[in-house]
Amino acid sequence: MFMAPVSLERSTAPTGFALALGLCFALLLAATAAAQGPRQLKPGWNLFSKDQDIQLGKEAAAQVEKQYTVVRDEALVQYIRRIGAKLASTPEAGGYPYSFQVVADKSINAFALPGGPAFVHTGLLAAADNEAQVAGVLAHEISHVALRHGTSQASKANLFQLPALLASGMLGKSGSMLGQLAQLGIGLGTNSVLLKFSRTAESDADLLGTRIMAKAGYNPLEMARFFEKLEASGGARGPQFLSDHPNPGNRVKAVETEIGYLPRSSYTTGSANEFARIQKLAAAVPVPPPKQAASAQPTAAPSMPQIPVSRTIREYRASAYAISYPDNWQATAAQKSQGVTLAPREGYVQGSGGGYSIGAGAVVDFASKTGDLNRDTAGLLQKLAGENADMRTQEPSKSTRVNGQPALVTILQSRSPFAGETEVDTLVTVERPEGLFFVVLIAPQSMVRNMQGAFDAMLRSIRFSPAASR
Ligand SMILES: [Zn+2]
């Protein structure tokens, strides 16, 4: 499995960095000033636009629908949609295109994706005491969407790489956003930066959730009571919901204080009879084995997709070099170096940690150099082995030429991120004024033959720019 080492060592700070720090500092001051009275709740600093939140949510929801079993029971679905619609129509919800679905899963969880798609597990319906508690979870999730916590966290975690990626016009190309973000390790897996929130975000979502519930006529205390009930019943090894939504402390008290700022109102917890009927329906939903677990079995192995290799090529140009690649692959430039990843979307594989690795494609970049091709290549191999524990040298380095320059080609073997596959990585290195130029051509063993032609053409296409005077 090739975890791209792209541009970890170089760090020329883009000018945007100083600006970003300035903004964070300003936000901090604003937060301190508003310590008294009802808290001003506004979305935090964010590199994504609202439209990009919505697009990301759409793509992520499509992935969720593939991974989970979405419940089709009309009565259940209508019930969740009715509650959701009431909450989503409050001005505090920010006018996002919310959608609400039920997932057949006994674990106590619910989650919302940027821009509005929300999912509730049948296990959460079973654990709630009344409709208001379900509404509380949804109001809390809606608040994360409206306050844009997921993309704000992703922005802060990727100050350097995100701006160019977001500016690269991925809006409009349908289905492209998740794949691009995947390269920064932003996905939907465990501990995803999009779904696991800070305690500050939790406390803000509780407060906004309180306001949303109150507007919709639900007793906001039920939200905090439900979270505390989960905490009390589960302890440290409680449901997934609590690890994604860590307790900011004193939830009930904070909600009570917030209710005090709101206009007096009478609240409902919903119809007890109807809720009992819904819980029965939820309990009756058959829970299939998780789809991901099924795909981990060697016999199922659907994970090896068709890797499309177009014969038409296009050229990628960096200032130090140019390389051609199949025109149905994507080129994603590294943000801190002249490197680029050239891969089909099918070549990215999401790991259990939520990050992505490249299972088929090519990575081009520069590593540090001393001027000795053999020594520098050995240094790079050592670094790659450090980052990819199961990487072995299959064939030792041999001399070759790239664009007329002396080069080394080394064949490596590692575990492919595709189920049941071994991966073959072809490393080609050339000394250049900018550093040790390298290309890693990545293919699962069963695809090596199919990809060989494209890889050879890529290597032949490499043109180095004459060294600029520096
Ligand atoms: Zn939360």
Side-chain angles (χ1 to χ4, degrees), residues 140-141 144 149 195 197-198 201-203 205-206 227 241 244-246 251:
H140 179 96
E141 293 294 345
H144 282 307
H149 285 148
L195 297 174
F197 301 104
S198 68
E202 280 312 297
S203 131
D206 279 358
F227 293 160
F241 187 86
D244 286 349
H245 303 264
R251 287 191 124 135

Side-chain angles (χ1 to χ4, degrees), residues 149-162:
H149 285 148
T151 50
S152 174
Q153 289 186 158
S155 299
K156 288 172 190 159
N158 297 275
L159 277 180
F160 291 109
Q161 300 95 325
L162 257 179

